[in-house]
Amino acid sequence: MIKVKVCSIQYPERYVVRRIVQAAHAELQSEFPDLELEITDLSDPAQIGRYAFVLVLPTLVIEEQAVCSGRFPAKDEVRAWLHQAALIDAQNRA
């Protein structure tokens, strides 16, 4: 299971990034049919501060690493980040 955190104090920003993550996840299902995501929304400034200095614009965290901050990531970017995390996850389970 890959842990994903979507950080922003604003709900609309978190919603958009969450939808992008879900779309990228759906595209990866053919290659990784057992791939599961645990998506968590963070809206508390103290929690967001652990990953980024930007509070209003979104930050995307995958496996405790901030991969994008201060902008909306493209679906292709998110798919690439999830693909890399899925490969690492598969290696760890093997």
Side-chain angles (χ1 to χ4, degrees):
M1 177 173 299
I2 296 173
K3 295 185 179 180
V4 176
K5 294 179 182 168
V6 180
C7 309
S8 177
I9 60 172
Q10 305 260 349
Y11 174 77
E13 283 75 3
R14 291 193 316 272
Y15 177 80
V16 169
V17 174
R18 176 183 276 271
R19 297 291 297 175
I20 293 169
V21 169
Q22 291 169 333
H25 178 236
E27 288 184 5
L28 286 172
Q29 286 295 298
S30 61
E31 188 175 349
F32 300 97
D34 296 332
L35 179 63
E36 293 182 31
L37 298 184
E38 178 184 310
I39 304 174
T40 305
D41 285 354
L42 295 181
S43 59
D44 178 49
Q47 290 179 329
I48 296 171
R50 295 177 48 208
Y51 304 103
F53 297 111
V54 181
L55 297 178
V56 177
L57 295 173
T59 296
L60 179 62
V61 177
I62 298 175
E63 291 296 323
E64 294 300 313
Q65 180 182 17
V67 294
C68 183
S69 185
R71 65 181 178 85
F72 292 94
K75 182 177 63 172
D76 291 340
E77 289 179 300
V78 176
R79 187 176 59 235
W81 295 323
L82 291 176
H83 185 269
Q84 181 180 10
L87 290 174
I88 292 169
D89 185 56
Q91 288 174 350
N92 290 340
R93 284 188 283 140

